[in-house]
Amino acid sequence: MRYLPLTQSDRDAMLGVIGVATIDDLFVDVPEAARLDGPIHGLPMHASEMAVERHMTKLARQNLTAGEVPFFLGCGAYKHHVPASVDHLIQRGEFLTAYTPYQPEIAQGTLQMLFEFQTQVARLLGTDVANASMYDGSTACWEAIGMARRITKRGKALLSSGLHPHYVSVAKTMAKFTGDALETSAPTLGPDTDIDALIAAIDSDTSCVVVQYPDILGRIADLKPLADACHAQKALLIAVVTEPVALGAIKSPGEMDADIVVGEGQSLGVGLQFGGPYVGLFGCKEKYVRQMPGRLCGETVDADGRRGFVLTLSTREQHIRREKATSNICTNSGLCALAFSIHMTLLGEAGLRQLATINHAGAVSAAKRLRQVPGVELVTPAFFNEFTLKLPKEARPVVRTLADRGILAGVSLGRLYPGEPKLANGLVVAVTETTSAEDVETLATALQEILA
Amino acid sequence: MSINASGWRPEAPTSSGKPSPTTTGNKALMLEEALIFEIGDLTTTGVDFEAFGASAQENTLAGLERSQPIGLPGLSEPETVRHYTRLSRQNYGIDLGFFPLGSCTMKHNPRLNEKMARLPGFADIHPLQPVDTVQGALGVINELATWLITLTGMYGVAMTPKAGAHGELCGMLCIKAALDARGEGHRKVVLVPESAHGTNPATAAFAGYTVEDIPATAEGRVDTAALLARLGPDVAAVMITNPNTCGLFERDMKVISDAVHAAGGFVYCDGANFNAIVGRVRPGDLGIDAMHINLHKTFSTPHGGGGPGSGPVVLSEALAPFGPLPFTTRMPDGHIALIEEETAGNDHPHTFGRMCAFHGQMGMFTRALTYILSHGADGLRQVAEDAVLNANYILRSLENTLEAPFGGSGPCMHEALFSDNGVADGFSTIDIAKGLIDEGFHPMTMYFPLVVHGAMLIEPTETESKAALDQFILALQSVAERAKAGDVSLKSAPHFAPRSRLDETLAARRPVLVWKDPELAQAAE
């Protein structure tokens, strides 16, 4: 039990100071019937570091990793190269093993980083302000809908058919609590987004329209007309970005007048990690800042007049306002925000733009090659690094067969939309800087053989 | 050049009685660090890219190309490493010393956990890969779930909640779904003791319930009589924390659970403090229906300056069918199936749906399982015993120095509670806390729980040695005596931290949440 520093003589001495004879005397308040005195059946005893490593490594080996095969999965989680410094720096004990910065005088490292993160995120999303991170993109999306309800005092949200179906599911789950009416549908396997339909559907009961950019099929469209239509009805436009690298190449939602922009920050610094922990990005217009959920870091001065940072506007938060808080969130994704921020600092404006260009060029080239496979159509003419193919048969078994050949080919729409036969032939393919031309060729060749 | 109120600007040394400040603002090895916006620029990058084979001549960006600068400064790699290393040195963490935050649980974070979570087999897999290519990862989820169910004596567990408060939402949604399923959606009241974490009432309110407070007794426990008297056909649930935030075990837990069940409601338990009873008490035996477990608290996943957390929720047989998607189940042939929207089908008709994209905090599961395997069933029981022993040692060693309002209520569990009663006029908890910083300690939790005036909540955990506790006790005794004596120098503490006392009121009154170039900001005013 290498993590427990007390020796038996320490324990005896401490029991003496406390004035009890045995450790059981400290558990006297636990009712007899609820005391667990015997061994716990079914669980093994403690193990050495080597034994634990052996066990965990065995489990790890049962997984096919993205790095060992041609890899094309996206749909809300992207494989990007993370510079070695990022992981090294977030493992510094002073970052890794710190708690929420409740004592700002000895937490300036975390706080300054959060202030820098907030600024980076606000600039990237094109919003006035941003918070110090959320759990992930999907929960940030739901919080944005809740925020729109508080601001507009209306309870109907229109969710674009291009919004990630998991994000839609989360919103539906949470709406069971709040009673919000959510209107949504599945996407159509075609080039056009549903922006015109959304514009037509906005009315005086609408709290917000939620639109993903680029959307679940990889499509991009100008959000400005949608923003204008929302504002004409005093509704809010919420934009969701699941691939922040895209914003190195295309206009930010804030630039197109979105009121709240949320995102999944996983692409920068965090890695795939089988879905979590990730980092939610959350920005909005300054006038709505007091309705924003989550932690905020603000600049101030210390008693000597030196600049410093503190958590602020906590009167919105659960530990002060209890049942009147703007949300129940207590934990953010501090360490993932740090990873995001370090990666962004390494990239800088120039690097982010270059990275975006490489991603886009790779995707354009891959789309060109894959559409040459007989029977394959490219569904999305306008995209960033992710596009949708329509196969001549159901995509899901094709993905399965390709996995057996050591190719992780993309996300079949059958997996994301199990009840929608019209989408079953859709395959969403993501290409990043980690994808080589050879990977694309391998996929194209294998696809051709399977479809023949 | 030094950091002052206006940023990274030249500053002339002043001559006063004090030693003159250094020209740079640095203090020997403690270096000041500017913001990346002050030291970076839009053309520097710390990353070299491989030229991709294809050219970007033809784009498919639908005319949406970025035209304006984004405003993201870059640093070279060595500058980046220095920037963040310097920032890290302005932080206190558990690796540096004792971090006695009551109710927040900061304990040793084993590096083995980090090493295991970074195995490519766990770190480099995509959440939407075909299920049979991720059997090992699903195995981690399944194995951790088994431990949590066994240790808590519950029926099932929802693994996906991303933090404790998210777990509370999960539990309350299970309760709502169960009540709806038996046609009792009219139950709209949730009873929450005064001493509960602020997330409890916030969660209940967020979930559309009306929150009613239940008072605490003079000895720091839930007023059972008041709670039982309030039960009725409108009560959906009771949210209770056990061990509670006064550090005490709720002796009447089973009585309360039985009464709540008899009245048709459910019992939610905030399991943030499970580390005090793991291996010694199973919440299932206390009649609890749902309880979240903060993996970063009981099972040592690092909290990284505020997160990530992870909040699996253990569920009773009555609530388990309503738990969220996705979840894993081991098939007779050993294969682990992933139950999602599609596969839930007829076998799981009552699930309330999905709480987050993907499978929850997988990286935290890997860490927690590593920690659990290291301790084993025997070690985890020792965890609870040592945590409780350490807390009682703190309580009894300091109760003659500081008032312990519930010191006579019996042994404490994982944390010891004190108040600032008895300090000199004009002094309070915050002065003691800031004084402790100068002594090299992170302060305890301040002003919480709300039921105690000037509360100081100290949680040592099981990973502190007796020597570390003795050092802390000595420091706190000394600072408390200064507060009692009215030592004015304490009012301006800390004196030796990277910053002196920060003006939190100014930050809230005039919020500056993003950096603006001072010259541009000035021009705009």
Side-chain angles (χ1 to χ4, degrees):
Chain A
M1 296 184 203
R2 56 194 176 276
Y3 306 144
L4 301 178
L6 296 184
T7 63
Q8 198 50 49
S9 68
D10 288 336
R11 291 185 184 118
D12 293 341
M14 292 164 80
L15 287 170
V17 170
I18 295 165
V20 295
T22 70
I23 190 75
D24 288 338
D25 295 331
L26 298 179
F27 286 87
V28 288
D29 288 327
V30 178
E32 198 80 37
R35 282 192 219 166
L36 194 60
D37 289 326
I40 302 165
H41 294 293
L43 300 179
M45 298 294 125
H46 69 277
S48 70
E49 180 158 328
M50 202 164 78
V52 175
E53 280 200 53
R54 201 181 298 130
H55 179 81
M56 295 303 289
T57 305
K58 197 173 151 199
L59 284 169
R61 283 211 195 101
Q62 293 170 20
N63 303 318
L64 183 62
T65 70
E68 54 189 332
V69 294
F71 180 88
F72 299 91
L73 278 79
C75 289
Y78 301 87
K79 178 173 164 54
H80 289 288
H81 180 257
V82 178
S85 318
V86 175
D87 195 43
H88 174 81
L89 288 166
I90 69 167
Q91 286 197 75
R92 284 190 61 89
E94 305 91 327
F95 284 133
L96 184 77
T97 74
Y99 200 73
T100 306
Y102 291 137
Q103 296 290 339
E105 295 85 3
I106 47 172
Q108 285 298 300
T110 291
L111 287 160
Q112 179 169 334
M113 173 281 287
L114 290 176
F115 185 79
E116 292 175 346
F117 171 82
Q118 287 174 183
T119 308
Q120 286 173 323
V121 171
R123 290 181 176 193
L124 185 68
L125 305 180
T127 54
D128 298 327
V129 289
N131 74 10
S133 80
M134 315 284 284
Y135 306 140
D136 74 352
S138 67
T139 52
C141 176
W142 163 253
E143 291 281 352
I145 296 169
M147 181 169 154
R149 172 166 33 84
R150 289 193 296 276
I151 291 168
T152 62
K153 311 264 192 293
R154 300 173 183 176
K156 190 175 87 180
L158 308 178
L159 312 186
S160 160
S161 62
L163 180 60
H164 196 299
H166 285 358
Y167 288 42
V168 172
S169 294
V170 173
K172 280 184 180 166
T173 295
M174 304 314 253
K176 289 177 190 167
F177 274 154
T178 57
D180 286 62
L182 305 180
E183 292 185 7
T184 185
S185 59
T188 49
L189 200 52
D192 297 322
T193 62
D194 60 352
I195 285 186
D196 292 339
L198 289 168
I199 289 174
I202 301 168
D203 62 23
S204 58
D205 296 329
T206 307
S207 66
C208 59
V209 176
V210 186
V211 60
Q212 186 173 318
Y213 171 87
D215 78 0
I216 187 66
L217 301 188
R219 301 172 297 198
I220 46 178
D222 190 354
L223 304 182
K224 186 69 172 62
L226 184 57
D228 292 343
C230 285
H231 299 152
Q233 291 279 7
K234 297 190 178 357
L236 304 188
L237 176 62
I238 298 171
V240 177
V241 178
T242 63
E243 172 51 296
V245 174
L247 301 184
I250 54 178
K251 281 183 191 170
S252 69
E255 247 182 294
M256 295 181 280
D257 211 17
D259 299 279
I260 303 173
V261 186
V262 296
E264 173 51 68
Q266 171 272 337
S267 282
L268 292 175
V270 177
L272 288 172
Q273 304 208 69
F274 200 43
Y278 284 177
V279 52
L281 313 178
F282 198 115
C284 69
K285 290 180 176 170
E286 188 146 28
K287 60 183 166 180
Y288 301 130
V289 69
R290 281 169 204 274
Q291 289 298 332
M292 182 156 53
R295 291 258 146 82
L296 288 171
C297 172
E299 185 184 319
T300 188
V301 294
D302 74 357
D304 301 324
R306 289 178 299 175
R307 178 174 68 190
F309 303 93
V310 294
L311 291 179
T312 195
L313 299 184
S314 55
T315 46
R316 309 162 299 119
E317 289 184 55
Q318 42 75 26
H319 60 277
I320 307 273
R321 293 265 285 172
R322 295 173 75 85
E323 67 267 24
K324 294 190 178 64
T326 51
S327 88
N328 74 330
I329 288 178
C330 184
T331 285
N332 63 347
S333 279
L335 198 68
C336 301
L338 174 65
F340 179 100
S341 198
I342 297 172
H343 195 173
M344 186 65 97
T345 300
L346 279 166
L347 287 169
E349 175 110 10
L352 180 70
R353 283 176 173 257
Q354 209 179 337
L355 180 64
T357 305
I358 292 169
N359 270 255
H360 184 58
V364 169
S365 154
K368 211 175 200 178
R369 174 66 187 93
L370 291 168
R371 70 192 296 188
Q372 288 167 1
V373 174
V376 173
E377 285 173 52
L378 175 66
V379 171
T380 40
F383 59 85
F384 170 64
N385 69 351
E386 190 169 22
F387 52 84
T388 301
L389 300 176
K390 188 175 176 187
L391 306 186
K393 55 165 140 175
E394 251 187 75
R396 203 161 184 187
V398 173
V399 167
R400 188 50 275 161
T401 308
L402 286 166
D404 288 338
R405 293 186 176 205
I407 300 166
L408 290 171
V411 178
S412 67
L413 288 177
R415 168 112 188 230
L416 288 178
Y417 297 94
E420 301 284 342
K422 283 182 185 161
L423 294 169
N425 292 13
L427 177 68
V428 185
V429 174
V431 173
T432 71
E433 76 284 0
T434 67
T435 318
S436 69
E438 196 188 344
D439 292 340
V440 174
E441 196 50 44
T442 305
L443 173 61
T445 308
L447 200 53
Q448 186 154 352
E449 283 172 27
I450 290 169
L451 295 178
Chain B
M1 301 274 278
S2 70
I3 298 281
N4 54 35
S6 60
W8 187 245
R9 293 285 178 272
E11 182 180 83
T14 56
S15 63
S16 64
K18 293 191 278 187
S20 79
T22 54
T23 312
T24 53
N26 296 336
K27 288 179 181 164
L29 289 177
M30 186 52 79
L31 304 171
E32 288 289 334
E33 184 62 10
L35 292 162
I36 52 173
F37 307 95
E38 293 160 335
I39 52 180
D41 60 64
L42 301 190
T43 56
T44 301
T45 178
V47 179
D48 282 333
F49 296 97
E50 274 178 44
F52 194 84
S55 81
Q57 292 310 311
E58 36 184 334
N59 81 40
T60 60
L61 297 176
L64 291 167
E65 295 84 347
R66 269 224 191 239
S67 49
Q68 300 301 310
I70 310 168
L72 297 166
L75 297 177
S76 67
E77 182 170 315
E79 290 171 308
T80 303
V81 170
R82 267 198 194 145
H83 176 70
Y84 289 99
T85 302
R86 286 175 173 180
L87 288 188
S88 76
R89 288 163 51 86
Q90 321 255 339
N91 258 14
Y92 194 97
I94 193 75
D95 281 0
L96 281 164
F98 186 29
F99 214 126
L101 281 175
S103 215
C104 293
T105 312
M106 285 295 287
K107 61 169 75 169
H108 174 56
N109 298 145
R111 291 312 192 273
L112 178 62
N113 300 359
E114 298 304 306
K115 186 178 175 186
M116 294 301 97
R118 284 172 172 79
L119 292 172
F122 298 130
D124 193 28
I125 51 175
H126 191 285
L128 297 171
Q129 280 182 220
V131 168
D132 54 4
T133 66
V134 288
Q135 283 292 302
L138 298 177
V140 168
I141 298 178
N142 212 62
E143 196 172 331
L144 179 59
T146 302
W147 276 89
L148 296 179
I149 288 170
T150 308
L151 288 168
T152 56
M154 300 289 278
Y155 185 83
V157 59
M159 296 296 285
T160 59
K162 290 191 156 264
H166 205 221
E168 290 173 29
L169 266 175
C170 174
M172 294 311 289
L173 196 39
C174 287
I175 289 169
K176 179 175 163 51
L179 288 171
D180 285 347
R182 63 177 201 221
E184 298 193 37
H186 58 272
R187 290 176 179 266
K188 288 287 180 208
V189 175
V190 170
L191 306 180
V192 183
E194 279 176 343
S195 62
H197 288 132
T199 48
N200 294 173
T203 299
F206 194 66
Y209 289 105
T210 305
V211 177
E212 288 186 23
D213 284 345
I214 298 293
T217 62
E219 65 162 16
R221 294 189 169 88
V222 175
D223 186 335
T224 305
L227 191 151
L228 299 188
R230 180 56 191 86
L231 292 175
D234 58 338
V235 174
V238 172
M239 294 184 90
I240 201 161
T241 304
N242 196 18
N244 73 20
T245 53
C246 299
L248 302 173
F249 194 84
E250 294 290 356
R251 291 174 188 149
D252 294 340
M253 196 65 228
K254 187 74 172 72
V255 175
I256 292 170
S257 299
D258 290 346
V260 173
H261 292 154
F266 288 97
V267 179
Y268 187 90
C269 182
D270 184 317
N273 306 327
F274 186 55
N275 59 321
I277 57 172
V278 60
R280 290 215 52 134
V281 182
R282 287 185 305 200
D285 297 337
L286 298 168
I288 286 159
D289 293 292
M291 181 181 93
H292 73 266
I293 299 168
N294 303 71
L295 294 184
H296 58 280
K297 294 184 175 178
T298 300
F299 299 116
S300 85
T301 62
H303 210 43
S310 179
V313 178
V314 287
L315 298 166
S316 64
E317 193 169 357
L319 291 186
F322 302 97
L325 299 173
F327 59 90
T328 60
T329 182
R330 190 179 281 279
M331 308 306 279
D333 65 356
H335 180 90
I336 300 175
L338 182 67
I339 309 300
E340 297 184 280
E341 283 81 349
E342 168 181 25
T343 37
N346 294 331
D347 293 341
H348 309 282
H350 299 299
T351 170
F352 69 65
R354 192 178 277 270
M355 293 199 76
C356 59
F358 314 131
H359 318 301
Q361 306 290 63
M362 183 61 205
M364 298 294 112
F365 301 159
T366 316
R367 289 170 174 87
L369 180 60
T370 301
Y371 176 84
I372 283 176
L373 292 171
S374 298
H375 274 299
D378 51 337
L380 290 173
R381 185 182 166 89
Q382 190 69 53
V383 160
E385 294 183 356
D386 285 358
V388 170
L389 180 65
N390 278 356
N392 279 282
Y393 185 65
I394 296 261
L395 177 66
R396 299 309 168 199
S397 300
L398 284 167
E399 67 184 345
N400 295 326
T401 305
L402 286 165
E403 185 194 63
F406 307 126
S409 306
C412 64
M413 298 304 285
H414 57 299
E415 58 196 357
L417 180 59
F418 300 95
S419 82
D420 64 2
N421 254 352
V423 301
D425 278 354
F427 287 77
S428 66
T429 295
I430 193 168
D431 305 307
I432 296 175
K434 301 302 181 190
L436 266 177
I437 291 176
D438 280 341
E439 299 292 340
F441 288 99
H442 194 284
M444 56 279 164
T445 291
M446 305 190 306
Y447 301 117
F448 181 82
L450 305 175
V451 289
V452 169
H453 181 268
M456 285 174 257
L457 192 53
I458 301 173
E459 176 167 6
T461 82
E462 73 283 358
T463 59
E464 292 305 324
S465 68
K466 180 172 177 294
L469 298 184
D470 286 338
Q471 212 178 16
F472 174 76
I473 288 164
L474 200 65
L476 185 50
Q477 278 170 338
S478 135
V479 175
E481 294 304 338
R482 287 168 60 201
K484 287 196 215 172
D487 176 350
V488 287
S489 73
L490 209 51
K491 290 297 304 175
S492 50
H495 301 282
F496 308 114
R499 285 289 177 272
S500 58
R501 211 175 286 197
L502 284 153
D503 189 342
E504 302 195 30
T505 313
L506 174 71
R509 208 177 57 229
R510 203 175 53 86
V512 179
L513 306 175
V514 293
W515 187 82
K516 291 186 180 115
D517 187 292
E519 275 125 50
L520 292 179
Q522 209 166 20
E525 272 176 22

